[in-house]
Amino acid sequence: MSPDPDRFLSDLHHLRSFGAEGAGVMRRAFSGPDIAAREWLVARIGEIGLTPHVDPAGNVFGLTDGPSLLIGSHSDTQPEGGWLDGAYGVIAGLEIARTAAGSGGPSISLVSFQDEEGRFGALTGSDLWAGRTTLAEADRYTDTDGASFADARHGLSHLMQEDFVDPGRFTGFLEAHIEQGPVLDASAEGVGVVTSIVGLRQLQITVTGQQNHAGTTPMHMRRDAFQGAARVATLLNERFTNIVTPQSVWTIGHIRLHPNASSIVPGRAIFTIQWRDGETDRLDRMERIIEDVLTEVARETGLRIDAGRLRNDLAPVPMDEGIQAALRAAADRHAQGRWRTMPSGALHDASNVSHLMPVGMLFVPSIGGISHSFDEDTAEADLVLGLRVLADAAEALAPS
Amino acid sequence: MSPDPDRFLSDLHHLRSFGAEGAGVMRRAFSGPDIAAREWLVARIGEIGLTPHVDPAGNVFGLTDGPSLLIGSHSDTQPEGGWLDGAYGVIAGLEIARTAAGSGGPSISLVSFQDEEGRFGALTGSDLWAGRTTLAEADRYTDTDGASFADARHGLSHLMQEDFVDPGRFTGFLEAHIEQGPVLDASAEGVGVVTSIVGLRQLQITVTGQQNHAGTTPMHMRRDAFQGAARVATLLNERFTNIVTPQSVWTIGHIRLHPNASSIVPGRAIFTIQWRDGETDRLDRMERIIEDVLTEVARETGLRIDAGRLRNDLAPVPMDEGIQAALRAAADRHAQGRWRTMPSGALHDASNVSHLMPVGMLFVPSIGGISHSFDEDTAEADLVLGLRVLADAAEALAPS
């Protein structure tokens, strides 16, 4: 299969025009530009001889008859989004399905999921398709302005069908996406074959000390909650080094002191520790180290330290081995020495779809690691390289 | 001179009744209870044969004829204040002046300064008396509700005189106050002779890194502003140990991260470092260590770190040697082995008055180190001990 780079780039730029804002895009789920973009995609699907199916969540499918490999991503954006993000994977799916349909090639369907970026939920469209939430629940989701998912999805009712597509008709799912991180760009590599979507855990830590006058309280009599938080942060860095891989990450991104005044010894510090890794076992070991560090700092300082698991834990999602092998072979063919295997540190629709069928993902570089920003971009040569790798893998994987 | 403990405690509890709220007091400068308390004090001053003088700032003096030693503090409180705080020093002054006047003893005047607690400015009354601000400037001060000092001081206009008291009539100033810290209480000591009011410096630190996705950015490519702040905090503790004394203190009491979200590597951290010491030289050396640590962390991490001095620097104010000697001798007489010399970590009116005449301060314990709280308290025996020590020192120091 030889996809057409010019036709592909032309469609990618056409999709960019829906909600274009400078170099970026504002195309939130079910906004005017999003609905127009989905209408446009439905028309393209018809043109290439596939059957459009817009399900009750607003997911747009282009279906072949009989079993097929599914390729796609999402075309909704953040309030201020980049022009590629999931759009890249949707148009890659369109071009490969078109190439296959036009050449009597393998059976390839395509999809553009809805509300991946979480105007209402988070990955709402693929969540609904995978049965991880119900339409009744999702209809109660509201955006930050109070608009409901139930009302918003009426905007596509003229195209919507009442049923969801049967996942049993697909033999697997391929998702191409920009990396949204700096790894490929920094190493001048063209594509990344994703090994897993990392799992995520998060603890909210409350350090309780003694609020005191910052002038009259001698150092040795203080129980300073910020000093406890700083000690935890530095000790974690030391203790993690023995067990993490270069793909493990941990972040203290949020902290709140009480009373947060320069002349008062902080009596309380509340902060989050978030950590991500591709392996459940390593997530467990990191959690035990965190617990040990908290216990040690509490004993050392006389502070009370409480930790509560936040509800948004995510288990790691390994990519299908057969799909990874096909992607690796295709990457070697088109970009020998210029690709790598890597985990996805961000969440994707493929995570939900993995509950329905084998899935795989391919990354192209994000220049400067920038995403969710008008400045997001990828070199044209890498966009085309990713398309070719994906097409080769699809040819190897799809039912004929 | 033998002050009368019962009369003293009775007056102290009477003053407590103005603005009483549970065990505490709400008596902000120029509030109804504050004005009533000052009217009451003016009446007491007349009763003991001294001349009342309420100056344009609302400071209440009780004056002897001719040269005298001045004793006092302030009787305004925080919005939710303790019953002792400066009130202790005002009533100690009243009792000692009364004892002296009644026994033909030495010449002792008394004072209750106004707005020490900063409803409008900070130490506004003694600031004005010491000429460190002008009435025209102070009249433009407003409280958090927008009320002006100019309007507020009209509440005492029925008692006010147009001129300030000539500081030249006083040979020195003695201020008794609760410690507002835990040192005397923790060591079961009855009084503390203050050696100096510590100086204070404050830097606002801005750490600038790179805001990034907490999932897709590998650890080795991060420039995490919070990690920089935590490193500064822990390194400062190490580096200070070689040069500080048990009286030196430093505090990171305020921090703000941007964007302060658990899934985003912080791109910016703004925090304050405040440090206090009784000696200018040590304040300087601590500042050089802070500068070195900031440079070192910036180099080590690739973060940009900027530091700006905040405007509220205070130079250390040493207490007069002769007054300290008199207080030490009196403490030895009344509380041998149960007193200490110590710096004042908090600011006091004596700091302003030191620009006009020799000053000295005496502390009594704060139970649990608690102050600026309804729970503030001091054992009655210690209140009386402090009165006796102060009276003895006053007798030694005051003109006969």
Side-chain angles (χ1 to χ4, degrees), chain A residues 180 216 222 227 237 251, chain B residues 180 216 222 227 237 251 274:
Chain A
Q180 304 183 273
T216 62
R222 295 185 176 195
Q227 291 289 338
N237 294 343
T251 309
Chain B
Q180 304 182 273
T216 63
R222 295 187 177 194
Q227 291 289 338
N237 293 343
T251 308
Q274 184 191 89

Side-chain angles (χ1 to χ4, degrees), chain A residues 95 97 156 164 178 231 272 280 293 319 337 348-349 364:
Chain A
E95 175 56 26
L156 268 179
F164 285 90
I178 59 162
R231 180 83 182 124
T272 52
T280 300
V293 163
M319 300 293 98
H348 293 288
D349 289 311
V364 293

Side-chain angles (χ1 to χ4, degrees), chain B residues 205-281:
Chain B
I205 314 295
T206 303
V207 182
T208 308
Q210 176 67 52
Q211 180 178 327
N212 268 317
H213 189 296
T216 63
T217 316
M219 298 309 283
H220 74 278
M221 298 182 77
R222 295 187 177 194
R223 289 187 299 130
D224 181 327
F226 176 71
Q227 291 289 338
R231 180 84 181 122
V232 167
T234 50
L235 213 51
L236 274 185
N237 293 343
E238 289 172 26
R239 299 292 159 80
F240 275 156
T241 49
N242 294 325
I243 65 143
V244 296
T245 72
Q247 280 75 46
S248 313
V249 295
W250 60 96
T251 308
I252 295 176
H254 175 270
I255 188 166
R256 192 154 43 87
L257 301 186
H258 181 84
N260 208 27
S262 56
S263 283
I264 303 180
V265 178
R268 191 165 63 245
I270 297 176
F271 63 100
T272 52
I273 304 176
Q274 184 191 89
W275 66 107
R276 308 193 193 204
D277 195 274
E279 292 175 28
T280 300
D281 179 59

Side-chain angles (χ1 to χ4, degrees), chain B residues 51-57 153 156-157 159-164:
Chain B
T51 305
H53 183 123
V54 180
D55 74 15
R153 66 193 184 87
L156 268 178
S157 58
L159 296 176
M160 255 177 209
Q161 300 187 34
E162 285 181 14
D163 58 334
F164 284 91

